[in-house]
Amino acid sequence: GPVASLSRFRGALVAGVLGDCIGGEFEGAEEVPMESVLAHLSGLNDETKGNGVLEYSDDTAMARCVVQSLLTRTGFDEQDMARSTSPGRGYGSGVIQVLKKLSCPRLSDVFQPARDQFNGRGSFGNGGAMRAAPFALAFPTATDVKRCSHLGAMLTHSCSLGYNGAILQALAVHFSLQGALETPQLFINILIKEMEEVENTEAARKDARILKEADKPFCERLHRVKELMDRTNVSIEEVISELGNGIAALHSVPTAIFCVLHCLKPLECLPQTFGGLERTIAYSLALGGDTDTIACMAGAIAGAHYGIESIPLSWIKCCEGAEDADRDAERLHALYHQMLQDD
Ligand code: R7I
Ligand code: MG
Ligand code: MG
């Protein structure tokens, strides 16, 4: 569809929620056979089951806080975002302490609680990345998307391996919204080029050294994504060993990007009736590990590419918060286009 169309905004925000809700079933599972994924997905179409709603987890709860803050402040306001990010459900054990401190009215520096995590180095978890998509839906320029997703993630994740994952996820949604996935090679090359610059800081080099990672860890992973993209046969085991499926941003954001790229064309292991968005969610779940978060991030990137029409209605009906996301996407679309005019 047309670049930055309402359909793409709705697709991005709604599919992120679906990834979280549908992916929750397999979170933490070591091995997820594709048959189990397909059984789970076909259950969503079965109205006679009447198993009601699949609840969203912290991934969606925190993204909703980001959306609400961006909309009420008509832009990024760290004070408001810090105070509106409240504990909800199923949070990572570490981040709950940050959220408690952020709710304290006397707090003067809203970035301090995140810095105190993990002996002062900050978290490298994917909690910043899992709520990064809305930044791409609020700000039209890559510069603003990078700046605001960075600061937004810094409220809980002050390690560069955490917040740079959030920047990468926001950029992936941003370029997908612009239609960049029409040419997959171009898409991955743009992301590598952007991350070369993002990771070119003293802080990033220091964190990478301490954590014994490559010099520019996200760039290195994106090069692995590119190599896997060029191959005709890639097993799930290889994807997990090359890219990871864990709760670290480094082991999940590049993985989510790979899921989207790998599912642009039909796959033998998936029903021919599936469209690209269904393939992306299904494939993300089959990787196991942090399935709700990887499917949430892959869903947002894929939804921005395929648009709302690609999402089965039965899936939307099953997932808590999906209709709220659809309504919020319309508001973010208006904010984005208002910012375009103000420029
Ligand atoms: O990143 P975060 O918000 O967790 C997000 C994940 C997603 O899968 C959600 O669906 C949710 O269920 O949790 O939470 P953090 O507590 O900041 O980080 C998550 C975990 O990563 C921590 O509990 C640690 O186990 C690990 N971790 C670290 N461990 C050692 N040293 C993160 N940073 C570090 C670190 O610096
Ligand atoms: Mg979760
Ligand atoms: Mg998770």
Side-chain angles (χ1 to χ4, degrees):
V3 157
S5 63
L6 177 59
S7 169
R8 288 179 184 260
F9 279 69
R10 295 170 66 198
L13 213 58
V14 171
V17 174
L18 297 192
D20 178 20
C21 293
I22 299 172
E25 172 81 5
F26 303 108
E27 191 181 20
E30 243 173 64
E31 264 178 55
V32 183
M34 194 55 94
E35 301 88 78
S36 309
V37 171
L38 296 178
H40 182 49
L41 292 176
S42 66
L44 306 179
N45 299 320
D46 189 354
E47 283 173 35
T48 58
K49 262 192 178 168
N51 50 5
V53 276
L54 294 173
E55 290 184 353
Y56 62 72
S57 78
D58 51 350
D59 304 52
T60 299
M62 291 191 99
R64 286 165 69 102
C65 295
V66 170
V67 168
Q68 287 322 307
S69 180
L70 292 172
L71 289 174
T72 54
R73 304 302 302 151
T74 59
F76 183 71
D77 175 345
E78 67 230 34
Q79 299 294 331
D80 182 75
M81 199 168 285
R83 284 167 224 289
S84 62
T85 305
S86 59
R89 43 181 86 172
Y91 284 103
S93 56
V95 82
I96 198 88
Q97 299 171 28
V98 181
L99 297 180
K100 269 189 196 144
K101 292 182 192 168
L102 285 178
S103 69
C104 174
R106 280 165 308 165
L107 182 71
S108 54
D109 179 357
V110 292
F111 296 106
Q112 192 55 43
R115 288 189 204 108
D116 295 337
Q117 292 295 99
F118 300 100
N119 301 316
R121 213 197 41 248
S123 169
F124 55 61
N126 56 22
M130 75 191 184
R131 62 175 195 269
F135 293 105
L137 305 181
F139 303 102
T141 68
T143 308
D144 285 339
V145 170
K146 283 182 278 188
R147 182 177 56 87
C148 298
S149 59
H150 179 190
L151 290 171
M154 287 276 279
L155 293 169
T156 52
H157 292 69
S158 76
C159 176
S160 63
L161 279 100
Y163 62 72
N164 281 343
I167 296 175
L168 175 56
Q169 167 65 11
L171 283 172
V173 176
H174 169 78
F175 289 116
S176 176
L177 212 58
Q178 307 301 317
L181 279 165
E182 298 295 339
T183 34
Q185 287 295 336
L186 203 69
F187 179 80
I188 192 72
N189 287 339
I190 299 172
L191 289 180
I192 291 172
K193 188 163 165 274
E194 289 282 351
M195 292 310 288
E196 285 282 350
E197 202 184 303
V198 168
E199 293 195 288
N200 187 23
T201 69
E202 203 42 60
R205 270 188 291 272
K206 187 171 166 233
D207 288 336
R209 208 181 321 119
I210 294 171
L211 291 162
K212 297 191 167 57
E213 293 293 345
D215 186 36
K216 291 180 176 175
F218 283 98
C219 288
E220 190 227 19
R221 296 273 161 164
L222 289 173
H223 280 289
R224 291 190 200 180
V225 169
K226 208 173 145 161
E227 282 165 29
L228 291 174
M229 265 170 88
D230 293 339
R231 299 237 321 265
T232 39
N233 277 310
V234 183
S235 71
I236 297 241
E237 291 73 22
E238 281 175 286
V239 176
I240 297 169
S241 76
E242 286 293 304
L243 303 176
N245 62 3
I247 49 168
L250 187 63
H251 303 153
S252 50
V253 183
T255 311
I257 290 169
F258 175 76
C259 289
V260 177
L261 291 164
H262 191 61
C263 294
L264 286 169
K265 290 188 188 139
L267 296 178
E268 249 173 54
C269 60
L270 289 169
Q272 296 304 300
T273 53
F274 273 19
L277 190 115
E278 292 153 288
R279 288 196 295 270
T280 306
I281 302 269
Y283 190 81
S284 306
L285 304 197
L287 296 181
D290 196 358
T291 49
D292 67 333
T293 307
I294 294 173
C296 167
M297 297 190 294
I301 303 165
H305 175 62
Y306 299 108
I308 190 73
E309 294 78 14
S310 67
I311 305 178
L313 240 131
S314 59
W315 290 19
I316 295 181
K317 283 190 182 142
C318 283
C319 296
E320 181 195 15
E323 284 175 0
D324 291 346
D326 200 4
R327 203 196 46 222
D328 287 342
E330 218 170 307
R331 296 179 179 151
L332 286 170
H333 180 259
L335 176 61
Y336 178 106
H337 286 278
Q338 185 195 322
M339 293 214 185
L340 259 185
Q341 285 181 346
D342 292 349
D343 265 0

